[in-house]
Amino acid sequence: MNELLLAVILFSLGLFIIIKGGDAFVDAAAWMSEVTGIPKLIVGATVISLATTLPELFVSAIATKDGSIGIATGNAIGSVIANIGIGMSIGLIIIPMAISRRSFAPKAFVMIIVTAALMICGLDGNISLLDTIILLSLLAFYIYSNVKSAKEESMNITEEERPECNKKIVTFRIFQFVLGAAGIIIGAKLLVDNGQIIAAAVGISEKVIGLTVIAIGTSLPELVTAITSVIKKDAALSVGNIIGANIIDMAMILPVCSLISGGTLEISKQTVFIDLPVSLVLMAIVVIPTVVHTKFKKWQGWSVLACYVGYLVYVTTSM
């Protein structure tokens, strides 16, 4: 069989396995968190965000180990842009909703601060050990503040409001959790290995592959979660998931990749001066009007989607 055709088939298989593995992992993680009585916004911003960013983490980590830095950084930043450009925009267009400024604003502004910090850290062309410590510290603060809020909120949940929990269900959920994680790891390896082959065969840079195909592919758990949440009218879960996933993508994945590569990770000028500023623009469109008016509006969704499409056109035609 032609090598390129085989690579495309295995790439598609890896994508399918990641989607299914991420879906199973998210379901198990969501159930585990609900049993504790944690509110949906916090569930989305912590547990589910950690779960849905596993594909990005494993893909970028494996790519870094294999020396494909373009795929590693492109996947992490591209996933952030895709999460807002596709997942958030769809939610805003379909179901504009009122939000609690107290719950939304702190998490949203941490996302913007982390993005700005990453851009500043990358101005010298790499993520150093000091940069890694700064980014991981921001992540630790974010997780700590959410866990603290979760503990306070869970005390208000009665036993009757918690989902059913017995030995059979617990066994199934643990199996689902482990199987989902395994699927994500296997799928990530297939995605990276065959993404490299496809990029080399068709003359596309690894960075473009990372920013587009792989980034959107590894973001599918977040995107599926966002769309499902919108359909089920659990918009708070979707918003929390995307904000948390973006913070984790930038404050955990790139620092981990930096450690894997020996304490420093090369960051291209394209990432610092194009990709991250685009992320900040999308975030500003979503966050600032919402904090002011305490409501998401359809024009924000259409604006974000238009910006994302324009960005994709630029990336695929200029690199």
Side-chain angles (χ1 to χ4, degrees), residues 1 144 247 259 310 315:
M1 184 183 291
Y144 168 77
I247 292 171
L259 293 174
V315 167

Side-chain angles (χ1 to χ4, degrees), residues 100-113 141-142 145 243 247 291:
S100 164
R101 185 183 286 120
R102 181 181 176 185
S103 297
F104 174 78
K107 296 173 179 60
F109 283 117
V110 168
M111 176 176 68
I112 291 175
I113 289 169
F141 168 76
Y142 172 75
S145 63
I243 290 174
I247 292 171
V291 170

Side-chain angles (χ1 to χ4, degrees), residues 24 31 117:
W31 177 85

Side-chain angles (χ1 to χ4, degrees), residues 66-88:
D66 291 347
S68 297
I69 304 301
I71 286 181
T73 57
N75 171 53
I77 305 303
S79 293
V80 169
I81 300 173
N83 285 343
I84 301 178
I86 303 176
M88 188 77 84

Side-chain angles (χ1 to χ4, degrees), residues 58-206:
F58 282 114
V59 166
S60 290
I62 291 170
T64 301
K65 186 174 180 296
D66 291 347
S68 297
I69 304 301
I71 286 181
T73 57
N75 171 53
I77 305 303
S79 293
V80 169
I81 300 173
N83 285 343
I84 301 178
I86 303 176
M88 188 77 84
S89 67
I90 289 173
L92 301 187
I93 291 168
I94 297 176
I95 306 180
M97 67 168 186
I99 57 98
S100 164
R101 185 183 286 120
R102 181 181 176 185
S103 297
F104 174 78
K107 296 173 179 60
F109 283 117
V110 168
M111 176 176 68
I112 291 175
I113 289 169
V114 168
T115 308
L118 178 58
M119 188 164 65
I120 293 170
C121 288
L123 285 174
D124 60 354
N126 66 81
I127 300 297
S128 66
L129 183 58
L130 176 60
D131 298 332
T132 293
I133 293 171
I134 291 171
L135 292 169
L136 289 177
S137 296
L138 288 171
L139 177 65
F141 168 76
Y142 172 75
I143 292 175
Y144 168 77
S145 63
N146 276 284
V147 169
K148 183 179 178 182
S149 298
K151 287 182 178 179
E152 294 171 355
E153 294 288 347
S154 64
M155 294 176 65
N156 300 321
I157 306 298
T158 65
E159 289 300 319
E160 290 75 17
E161 294 175 302
R162 301 179 193 273
E164 183 182 358
C165 181
N166 57 48
K167 187 175 180 179
K168 185 177 180 180
I169 292 175
V170 170
T171 301
F172 169 73
R173 292 299 186 181
I174 291 175
F175 174 75
Q176 187 181 37
F177 188 90
V178 174
L179 188 65
I184 288 169
I185 295 170
I186 294 169
K189 181 64 176 173
L190 287 171
L191 212 63
V192 172
D193 289 350
N194 293 285
Q196 292 171 313
I197 295 173
I198 294 169
V202 300
I204 300 175
S205 72
E206 289 184 345

Side-chain angles (χ1 to χ4, degrees), residues 6 11 66 78 205 237 247 278 280:
L6 178 60
F11 184 92
D66 291 347
S205 72
L237 187 67
I247 292 171
V278 166
L280 283 172

